[in-house]
Amino acid sequence: MTVEFTTRYRSRSHIPAEPGVPYFIEKGLGDRAHLITDLVTVYAGGEQTENSFNFFTVEGPKGEIIPTHTHADTYEVFYVTDGAVRLFVEDLEGQQHEKLLTNGDFGFVPKNCPHAYRIERHHSRVVGVAAGPGITFERFFENLGAPTEELGLPHRPVLPTPDAFRAAEEAFDVRYLPHHRWHSASRAVNGSR
């Protein structure tokens, strides 16, 4: 492993730092971080894929909508393996789309499209894949949240500071849209966690 990859919070990582190295990881044993009320587990990232894609899971309880945001250079996939997640996406023409995704459902978000999601059932899990020509954003989660060795959800919400949000936005191809509004028939969707 490279020195920059072996940090205090990745000291027990099962992910090799070098690209082109085959590896296997048991369920839940990727690099983990708590963010707000969720557990994010990274299984593959930029270090392994020469920044071509990442692969992670997000697990969490039923909650509030995550902040609306865009990625200038990143395409994002949402694949629900457990529970239910409501995905909100606005296309490049400004038309808003909303879909409740349940076990086995898939959602795709093109780059530059505002999007947000809300976990609708407790014990939900989403598989995320993000790809694009620039950097991958899987390390956004541990930089904004709190790296953890725990396998479960946080005992208390891990709430980033406004300064942490700004720093993560600049470093990881994420632009927040705090004034964006979703025109949805479902219960309140505007705002953030």
Side-chain angles (χ1 to χ4, degrees), residues 80-150:
V80 176
T81 61
D82 297 290
V85 174
R86 188 171 302 277
L87 181 59
F88 304 90
V89 183
E90 184 174 291
D91 64 29
L92 297 176
E93 286 77 42
Q95 183 174 354
Q96 294 187 356
H97 307 269
E98 173 188 336
K99 179 70 176 170
L100 179 66
L101 303 175
T102 60
N103 295 7
D105 290 342
F106 172 93
F108 176 73
V109 179
K111 66 181 183 177
N112 291 311
C113 288
H115 59 286
Y117 71 89
R118 180 177 61 219
I119 294 178
E120 298 284 0
R121 292 187 195 140
H122 291 301
H123 308 291
S124 292
R125 180 183 300 122
V126 179
V127 171
V129 175
I135 63 167
T136 58
F137 69 76
E138 74 283 349
R139 298 302 174 193
F140 164 87
F141 305 112
E142 69 191 13
N143 280 275
L144 191 57
T148 183
E149 293 294 322
E150 294 180 36

Side-chain angles (χ1 to χ4, degrees), residues 37-56:
T37 58
D38 300 341
L39 171 67
V40 179
T41 306
V42 175
Y43 292 92
E47 293 106 342
Q48 298 75 45
T49 67
E50 298 175 328
N51 286 326
S52 58
F53 74 94
N54 61 35
F55 185 97
F56 58 93

